[in-house]
Amino acid sequence: MRLIYFLAALIILTSLLLTTTSAAGATLPGCPDSCGNLTIPYPFGTQSGCHLPGFLITCNTTYSPPRAFINIGNVRVNSIDLSAGSAVVELLVARDCYAPLQLSTNIPQTWADFTGLPYAFSNTRNKFTALGCSAIALNYRFGQTNSLSYTSGCIAFCSELSSVINGSCSGIGCCQTAIPRGLQRVNTILQSTSNMNLTWTFSPCSLAFLIDTDEYVFDVADLADFYKRTTVPVVLDWAVGNNQTCLSAATSPDYACGDNSYCSNSTNAAGYSCSCQTGFQGNPYLSNGCQDINECEDPETSPCTNICENTIGSYACSCPHGYSGDGKKSGKGCNKTTTKFPLVQTVAGGGLGFLFLLLGGFSLYWFLKKRRMLRLREKFFNQNGGSLLKQQLAAREGLAETARVFTAAELKRATDNYSDSRILGHGGNGTVFKGILPDTNRVVAIKKSNLVDGAAAQVEEFINEVVLLSQVIHKHVVRILGCCLETPVPLLVYEYVPNGTLHHHLHRRPGSLSWEARLRIAVETAAALAYLHSAIARPIFHRDVKATNILLDEQYMAKVADFGASRLIPMDRAYITTLVQGTLGYLDPEYFLSGQLTEKSDVYSFGVVLAEMLTGLTPLSGERPPEEKNLAIFFLLKMKDGKLQEILEPRVRTEGGRLQVEAVADLARRCMRLKGEERPSMREVVAEIERARRPPAAMLDPWEGRGEVEDEESENFEDSETRFLSSRMTRVLSEEGTTAYFAASATGDESLDQHIMLSLEMQR
Ligand SMILES: *[C@@H]1O[C@H](CO)[C@@H](O)[C@H](O)[C@H]1NC(C)=O
Ligand SMILES: *[C@@H]1O[C@H](CO)[C@@H](O)[C@H](O)[C@H]1NC(C)=O
Ligand SMILES: *[C@@H]1O[C@H](CO)[C@@H](O)[C@H](O)[C@H]1NC(C)=O
Ligand SMILES: *[C@@H]1O[C@H](CO)[C@@H](O)[C@H](O)[C@H]1NC(C)=O
Ligand SMILES: *[C@@H]1O[C@H](CO)[C@@H](O)[C@H](O)[C@H]1NC(C)=O
Ligand SMILES: *[C@@H]1O[C@H](CO)[C@@H](O)[C@H](O)[C@H]1NC(C)=O
Ligand SMILES: *[C@@H]1O[C@H](CO)[C@@H](O)[C@H](O)[C@H]1NC(C)=O
């Protein structure tokens, strides 16, 4: 019984592997991507379930490094080229040597057979070649009546070395001939017409082989020593689709080309091949393999002269304000718009004096105004801790990564004078604009914060934060590039993350994220938080972990953002007491009640984000019935009742394995434990999600097909805890009249309601 169950799980695993593909990798998820130093991209694979039919590669690990062979034969693979649809293999050389020398055993006939497999010898890159002074080399195949029919052949003769032309295979010492298209099997016969007793001194052997002409140019010296090579490189063309054309394959259920790719009929092997559309790159044979190319990433190779904006499958060039042109390096570029002064021609005589007077007055006014502005800027700069920051930066000079201090003018230009069209969003403590730095044309996000009220201690903290965060270099943390202090409120400059927030993808475009993507985003976010919690200098607690603070880049890679509320924690303390701050629905109840901030508060909020990704529900919603308003509580109650399945997001339910989803849900539950110390650390969270991402086959058993879900694990639940949570739900009315539920752990504490009111107020 167990065995059947296991086999069924295995079959499901295999079919899952065939449909869900990793975005970045070149293989199906869970499949080995190399053999020794040879990369093996899909449709090739070394294990069953990892390749398309016929594309098996056998990896023999008894060799060191391991060697790859076509199918289960003895033809060794040197390289595989996805875009050209070719592979280079090693094939034997036919050899007939002057007997008295006893150089090696003769091999007068060789053959290689790929019939039944998706390969054919490349007719454009291979040449059938013979070397020697008395060599006749023939290629033949068996005809329909089993009679021999020759497909090609050539003869190489010579009488003395001086007559052989270096580099030329025209019949003297060397000959070469083409092979027909679609050839899947070669049989080579090599014959020597003399016993070589006149020529053996400079050409001891006759040789015949098929060879990749990119790799081989005849050299006179080959006559003397080429016999030492037992194998030579030969190019095979391959095609998918088992002899189908693009036309017939497109409607077939096992059409092999993935998203954003196109199909071409193969010209040699039987079938078709896939390629990524322009603007995309990756493995076209994986369903999600062709990924957008970010043309703008590297200014060196960017197609634009000034402003470059990546779009899916393409890019757009534009010119900064005051410039015109198409902005393309291959086009007109950007030229300064010249403004003309038609005024000059019309002004004459007496009018001129008046004009000068007017101009003089105006420029004096302008000059004074400018000076006042400069003074103001200086004042703000100092008030915002500019000199402190300069000191801090100077102290760290030499470190590669430091925050840059931007000028107000630079950022004003970058954001088109804080134009409304550039607003990316309103954060908890500021407005975020999209900006393009005038000097480098780098696209950045600029946050106009409203947190500073001039208190000296806070200024110092703010500066420390900028300096420290500028050294937080983690793939999944939004980089801070610098700040500007010349304005009344400090401006922060961050790297630009183009694909919006996790919140947006979960709630505005429900179903847009696959289960696989959700797990990946979860683990990336967790890794970023774990990194912050164990940051080298001083741990950093984020304090405001929520779906709107998790940004997604072009590849849908997660980047944790918004450290407006985060705190640097002194080394000697595990927690700090602060004004309670955070977002309702994500806020850690323990922290909320005690005011003591620990790293476990971030763990709690992360647990809520996990629950949000599993269910697709918002953490707080006035539209849900009262007992379902708070997702954290609703989620825990459903889990306790063994009814998790009811609230799972449809894609999670269909794509995730039952035990896999349950493992993640249970992790979310533990993250949301009431007592901070009982929650796992962020490191443990990372490890657990990673484990769930690469589950044993049985974990991928889907929800459907196992009947009523039995809740074996309910024993492990802290029954008391969930019951406690639901019984202690406290009803709080905010001023807008929406109702929020919150778990409270203090008993009969009158001040609790006030606390909650306080938090609601802070929220706004
Ligand atoms: C793989 O290793 C072999 C020998 O170790 C070397 O000749 C070959 O060039 C390597 N191939 C690649 C793609 O690195
Ligand atoms: C690997 O190569 C060794 C040596 O040629 C051979 O004996 C063995 O059978 C091969 N193993 C596989 C799995 O092909
Ligand atoms: C070469 O071999 C041929 C035939 O085997 C023989 O007739 C001839 O004498 C030989 N020549 C030399 C120089 O040994
Ligand atoms: C033949 O030509 C190649 C390059 O053209 C050169 O490297 C090689 O030394 C030449 N061989 C002889 C025997 O002259
Ligand atoms: C491929 O299809 C063509 C035309 O349908 C047919 O002539 C040919 O024999 C087929 N080749 C193989 C290998 O099945
Ligand atoms: C592939 O070949 C089929 C049949 O010859 C033809 O109808 C189709 O247009 C071709 N497709 C491409 C993309 O060349
Ligand atoms: C920009 O200036 C260059 C050289 O000054 C000129 O060749 C080009 O045509 C100009 N482009 C536009 C759009 O005016």
Side-chain angles (χ1 to χ4, degrees):
M1 206 52 196
R2 282 256 147 207
L3 185 69
I4 291 174
Y5 178 47
F6 176 71
L7 283 179
L10 204 71
I11 290 166
I12 289 159
L13 174 73
T14 319
S15 62
L16 265 178
L17 285 174
L18 283 173
T19 50
T20 59
T21 55
S22 78
T27 58
L28 293 177
C31 290
D33 65 353
S34 65
C35 174
N37 63 359
L38 171 73
T39 24
I40 300 183
Y42 191 76
F44 295 87
T46 54
Q47 293 174 1
S48 96
C50 287
H51 61 86
L52 283 181
F55 287 92
L56 175 66
I57 297 285
T58 303
C59 190
N60 192 332
T61 48
T62 51
Y63 297 97
S64 172
R67 290 183 187 173
F69 296 90
I70 297 268
N71 206 26
I72 42 175
N74 56 0
V75 175
R76 186 163 169 202
V77 189
N78 281 351
S79 66
I80 294 172
D81 188 334
L82 263 194
S83 53
S86 65
V88 177
V89 298
E90 290 283 338
L91 290 183
L92 271 187
V93 174
R95 195 166 51 202
D96 179 24
C97 293
Y98 180 53
L101 290 178
Q102 297 189 321
L103 288 176
S104 60
T105 46
N106 286 346
I107 308 173
Q109 291 204 21
T110 59
W111 59 270
D113 188 358
F114 296 106
T115 45
L117 291 174
Y119 304 95
F121 292 97
S122 167
N123 57 323
T124 52
R125 275 185 61 186
N126 298 312
K127 282 270 164 27
F128 185 58
T129 307
L131 298 183
C133 288
S134 61
I136 297 182
L138 297 167
N139 250 336
Y140 68 87
R141 66 168 165 232
F142 292 101
Q144 265 141 0
T145 56
N146 241 356
S147 59
L148 279 188
S149 73
Y150 293 99
T151 52
S152 62
C154 74
I155 299 173
F157 284 149
C158 64
S159 50
E160 64 256 322
L161 189 59
S162 58
S163 65
V164 181
I165 309 159
N166 191 15
S168 163
C169 281
S170 51
I172 313 176
C174 173
C175 68
Q176 273 187 333
T177 166
I179 56 166
R181 176 180 295 189
L183 197 63
Q184 288 202 289
R185 176 181 172 126
V186 288
N187 298 273
T188 300
I189 308 177
L190 174 67
Q191 285 169 357
S192 294
T193 55
S194 77
N195 66 2
M196 292 183 255
N197 62 0
L198 296 172
T199 55
W200 66 268
T201 47
F202 60 91
S203 173
C205 300
S206 297
L207 304 165
F209 46 85
L210 205 58
I211 195 164
D212 175 8
T213 47
D214 285 5
E215 289 296 314
Y216 182 68
V217 176
F218 171 63
D219 185 324
V220 172
D222 290 342
L223 286 179
D225 60 16
F226 203 85
Y227 73 88
K228 290 174 184 158
R229 296 184 58 170
T230 48
T231 62
V232 289
V234 175
V235 183
L236 300 181
D237 288 330
W238 49 266
V240 294
N242 193 20
N243 203 16
Q244 279 181 299
T245 63
C246 289
L247 196 65
S248 56
T251 52
S252 126
D254 40 41
Y255 181 53
C257 303
D259 297 341
N260 302 315
S261 71
Y262 63 88
C263 175
S264 9
N265 290 332
S266 173
T267 51
N268 190 20
Y272 57 92
S273 43
C274 312
S275 319
C276 285
Q277 284 164 10
T278 46
F280 292 86
Q281 64 188 2
N283 186 336
Y285 297 94
L286 291 171
S287 70
N288 198 14
C290 291
Q291 298 277 327
D292 174 47
I293 300 172
N294 184 352
E295 291 88 352
C296 304
E297 196 166 29
D298 181 4
E300 290 285 307
T301 58
S302 154
C304 306
T305 55
N306 293 51
I307 303 167
C308 183
E309 243 188 286
N310 184 42
T311 59
I312 299 299
S314 185
Y315 60 88
C317 297
S318 54
C319 291
H321 192 71
Y323 287 75
S324 65
D326 59 8
K328 290 189 181 144
K329 277 181 185 164
S330 62
K332 291 182 183 147
C334 291
N335 282 3
K336 213 173 178 85
T337 342
T338 47
T339 35
K340 300 195 177 79
F341 296 101
L343 203 66
V344 176
Q345 290 151 8
T346 58
V347 177
L352 211 64
F354 176 70
L355 190 76
F356 273 135
L357 211 65
L358 205 73
L359 274 178
F362 181 75
S363 49
L364 188 68
Y365 165 77
W366 189 74
F367 173 76
L368 288 176
K369 188 174 162 195
K370 179 114 184 166
R371 205 175 62 172
R372 218 184 105 235
M373 271 198 29
L374 279 176
R375 290 238 172 98
L376 252 176
R377 259 188 222 164
E378 211 165 295
K379 183 183 140 228
F380 288 138
F381 186 77
N382 288 326
Q383 179 190 319
N384 285 330
S387 36
L388 193 68
L389 181 63
K390 281 225 160 130
Q391 269 173 25
Q392 289 258 20
L393 291 182
R396 287 168 192 280
E397 207 152 13
L399 283 179
E401 302 290 341
T402 42
R404 193 179 135 193
V405 182
F406 292 90
T407 65
E410 249 178 316
L411 296 191
K412 192 168 157 183
R413 233 181 103 191
T415 54
D416 218 348
N417 197 12
Y418 301 102
S419 136
D420 281 352
S421 64
R422 293 292 187 86
I423 293 181
L424 290 172
H426 297 277
N429 38 23
T431 306
V432 184
F433 294 87
K434 179 175 178 175
I436 295 155
L437 296 182
D439 53 348
T440 56
N441 290 317
R442 179 167 187 180
V443 183
V444 295
I446 299 174
K447 184 158 100 174
K448 225 176 168 175
S449 54
N450 38 24
L451 68 101
V452 162
D453 51 16
Q458 251 191 313
V459 166
E460 193 172 333
E461 217 165 295
F462 168 75
I463 299 299
N464 271 335
E465 220 167 281
V466 172
V467 171
L468 214 124
L469 284 181
S470 71
Q471 291 161 57
V472 172
I473 302 164
H474 189 271
K475 237 178 14 183
H476 303 299
V477 173
V478 170
R479 287 272 329 265
I480 186 167
L481 303 174
C483 59
C484 169
L485 304 164
E486 296 175 355
T487 45
V489 288
L491 298 166
L492 294 177
V493 181
Y494 295 95
E495 85 177 288
Y496 175 64
V497 186
N499 244 337
T501 66
L502 176 62
H503 177 92
H504 178 87
H505 288 275
L506 284 180
H507 306 304
R508 300 273 183 288
R509 306 172 54 211
S512 65
L513 291 175
S514 68
W515 166 239
E516 169 68 24
R518 282 169 212 248
L519 278 183
R520 188 179 42 71
I521 290 167
V523 84
E524 288 171 352
T525 307
L529 293 175
Y531 171 82
L532 292 172
H533 290 175
S534 61
I536 316 128
R538 296 152 79 193
I540 300 170
F541 299 166
H542 187 282
R543 284 228 294 181
D544 202 8
V545 176
K546 55 179 172 178
T548 36
N549 281 344
I550 297 168
L551 306 182
L552 300 177
D553 73 2
E554 303 90 348
Q555 324 284 342
Y556 288 86
M557 204 160 79
K559 286 188 188 265
V560 176
D562 201 343
F563 293 80
S566 55
R567 286 289 171 269
L568 306 167
I569 309 305
M571 270 311 239
D572 51 350
R573 276 192 282 167
Y575 66 86
I576 53 165
T577 310
T578 67
L579 197 71
V580 174
Q581 203 181 330
T583 303
L584 215 63
Y586 293 96
L587 189 56
D588 170 15
E590 191 183 55
Y591 163 53
F592 175 72
L593 289 166
S594 67
Q596 287 186 346
L597 179 69
T598 72
E599 58 169 33
K600 296 301 176 67
S601 300
D602 283 351
V603 176
Y604 181 91
S605 310
F606 179 78
V608 180
V609 174
L610 263 189
E612 200 175 342
M613 286 203 267
L614 286 169
T615 60
L617 300 173
T618 52
L620 273 186
S621 166
E623 286 161 20
R624 297 202 290 262
E627 64 282 5
E628 297 178 5
K629 241 156 223 172
N630 183 308
L631 175 63
I633 295 171
F634 181 44
F635 183 83
L636 292 177
L637 287 175
K638 279 288 180 191
M639 268 199 86
K640 191 195 151 282
D641 295 343
K643 290 181 181 156
L644 175 65
Q645 191 186 354
E646 289 175 8
I647 56 167
L648 286 181
E649 205 268 348
R651 264 195 101 164
V652 172
R653 195 167 47 225
T654 51
E655 291 173 13
R658 189 177 83 98
L659 295 179
Q660 196 188 22
V661 173
E662 270 175 1
V664 177
D666 187 62
L667 177 65
R669 177 183 69 80
R670 281 178 288 128
C671 288
M672 292 188 282
R673 282 218 175 121
L674 221 45
K675 283 216 180 82
E677 63 204 40
E678 290 174 356
R679 296 171 201 153
S681 73
M682 243 25 247
R683 288 236 165 275
E684 287 160 358
V685 171
V686 172
E688 287 200 31
I689 306 178
E690 278 295 3
R691 219 172 301 134
R693 278 182 81 193
R694 315 198 182 293
M699 272 180 102
L700 290 178
D701 188 20
W703 290 88
E704 288 79 13
R706 242 201 105 188
E708 199 48 41
V709 180
E710 279 169 44
D711 197 8
E712 304 136 13
E713 272 139 280
S714 62
E715 309 293 296
N716 303 336
F717 273 50
E718 281 82 342
D719 248 359
S720 55
E721 187 172 307
T722 16
R723 201 176 314 127
F724 176 74
L725 271 172
S726 50
S727 68
R728 296 296 307 161
M729 270 193 291
T730 311
R731 195 159 197 252
V732 183
L733 278 168
S734 74
E735 276 164 35
E736 292 87 6
T738 58
T739 314
Y741 282 83
F742 205 81
S745 64
T747 40
D749 188 349
E750 282 295 309
S751 65
L752 181 66
D753 287 10
Q754 280 162 21
H755 266 298
I756 292 169
M757 291 307 283
L758 201 87
S759 105
L760 281 170
E761 258 160 36
M762 271 183 307
Q763 239 327 92
R764 284 176 296 108

